[in-house]
Amino acid sequence: MMKYLVILLSDQSTSFCYYNSSDNIEENKLMPLETLRNAIKYAFMEDLFIQFVLPPFSLPKEYEDIITSTKASIIAPSSTSYKADVMVVDGFLELNNIEILKDVSYVLRTSKKDFFEHYEEITRRIVELSRLNIVLTDIEDFKEDDFILYKQILDEFACCVKDITLSGETIQLNILTDRLVENEMNNCNAGCKTITLAPDGQFYICPAFYYAKEQPVGNLENGLMIKNSHLYKLEYAPLCRECDAYQCKRCVYLNKRLTREVNTPSKEQCVVSHIERNASSFLLLSIREHIIFMPKTEIKEISYLDPFDNIKNK
Ligand code: SF4
Ligand code: SF4
């Protein structure tokens, strides 16, 4: 059963994930007011929690009035003055220039190259942040050397987070601390628990499917019509349902692009997620050398980084 409705208010609504919202934009289309009102009604009738995704420009007053009077969370680019629940930062240059607000979650979208070159900026600013989600926008380009470097950087992050934790502070860094607090899969769930409404009034599996010009999966008038909807569920993803990299996004958009099957992950996504999982384990054990910490949490040692290798060897 769907739980969330992501509403893209404009074709230029900020990307908060792996896709680029600026690709394939022919015109800057704002969702018509009538569609927006109907979308809110739809969410109310279907008992869906709304997430508004804002563009990098001010919205007309009628839109602002509707947004502020609706119970919803707001995702906005950090370049706007809007105080959102989630602020999206595009790259390290932007990260260096923003004033960090308390009680706001930040998403940092970065290429692997920029991440490898500037990751120390994160260790420098991490104490200011309540929560940081790092999204590597070109995960599909990771090669063997990148995996090695990613592991080294995460181990450095783990040492930094350990020191912060031992000083009595807490921080949330998705690629390191999410796995500590999850005891079951907590993935993106696009097409399964979350659906997106685009400015054209049609539903898409997630914003990435809209910008990639994939077929819509229904509309406000006729409701959702997702072909083979079961394939988006964890139970129908044979590798993922056996996996314990619970923090992994299990991105069905990347799956479709890289393996052509929404329920089959790529090696790159799996290895990156397992490096994160193992770094979380390293963090847990490092903290436990000093204090009693999350005694019920266990992250087992494993000998593989790609679950596909594990299945092959069984
Ligand atoms: S790491 Fe791979 S197998 Fe595990 S949940 Fe992520 S995509 Fe699925
Ligand atoms: S399927 Fe989920 S994780 Fe993948 S791009 Fe869409 S919203 Fe992001």
Side-chain angles (χ1 to χ4, degrees), residues 123 126 151-165 173 176-177 278-284 286-287:
T123 42
I126 204 163
K151 180 193 174 311
Q152 286 168 357
I153 293 172
L154 288 201
D155 286 349
E156 269 187 54
F157 282 175
C159 291
C160 174
V161 172
K162 177 197 77 176
D163 290 343
I164 294 170
T165 309
L173 179 62
L176 198 57
T177 62
N278 293 348
S280 303
S281 171
F282 171 65
L283 170 63
L284 185 67
S286 316
I287 298 173

Side-chain angles (χ1 to χ4, degrees), residues 82-94:
Y82 220 95
K83 185 168 186 288
D85 303 280
V86 178
M87 305 283 273
V88 181
V89 181
D90 247 311
F92 282 87
L93 193 62
E94 207 169 293

Side-chain angles (χ1 to χ4, degrees), residues 185 187 239-240 243-245 248 250 255 265-266 269-270 273-274 307:
M185 278 288 168
N187 316 125
L239 278 182
C240 303
C243 176
D244 77 345
C248 173
R250 203 170 70 77
N255 291 356
S266 63
Q269 183 173 197
C270 286
S273 294
H274 277 76

